[in-house]
Amino acid sequence: MLIGQVRASDLVFRYGGEEFLILLAEVDHVKACFVAGKVRHRIEASVTPLTDEQSVGVTASIGVAAHDGHPDFRHLVDRAEKALCQAKAAGRNCTVLAES
């Protein structure tokens, strides 16, 4: 589902148990937040059938961080993770942009 929401030049990774990391190439924070919103809404709209009578839906909390020039990629991932924690603390099913 995630790969279907991004461009062929973007990368999608599993990052931890229930977390995923999407690397958007050459986009600013505005476009990144737009893509994050599109992904979040697509996840929220999907329903997985469990039986003929039951199904389950899920939501997503998303942290977004734009590259700030720091040479270590872990700095960028750490900022995105902090934004993700803020999204979860804000009640989940939302997107939070990391502070610069």
Side-chain angles (χ1 to χ4, degrees):
M1 180 186 316
L2 298 177
I3 292 170
Q5 301 302 306
V6 298
R7 305 166 299 177
S9 60
D10 300 326
L11 301 171
V12 178
F13 303 93
R14 186 170 186 138
Y15 187 79
E18 296 178 352
E19 295 177 356
F20 293 86
L21 187 145
I22 300 175
L23 177 62
L24 303 173
E26 299 182 18
V27 299
D28 62 13
H29 68 281
V30 174
K31 177 69 175 177
C33 286
F34 173 79
V35 172
K38 183 173 81 165
V39 167
R40 192 172 57 79
H41 290 295
R42 175 68 175 98
I43 291 169
E44 185 178 21
S46 68
V47 176
T48 302
L50 300 176
T51 66
D52 287 341
E53 299 173 5
Q54 293 182 320
S55 61
V56 65
V58 296
T59 61
S61 300
I62 299 178
V64 174
H67 182 61
D68 62 359
H70 195 284
D72 188 351
F73 75 92
R74 284 171 273 191
H75 174 75
L76 180 61
V77 173
D78 288 345
R79 289 178 49 237
E81 255 187 309
K82 287 178 185 169
L84 172 60
C85 289
Q86 291 173 345
K88 289 178 179 180
R92 302 180 182 260
N93 198 30
C94 64
T95 302
V96 172
L97 175 63
E99 297 177 17
S100 344

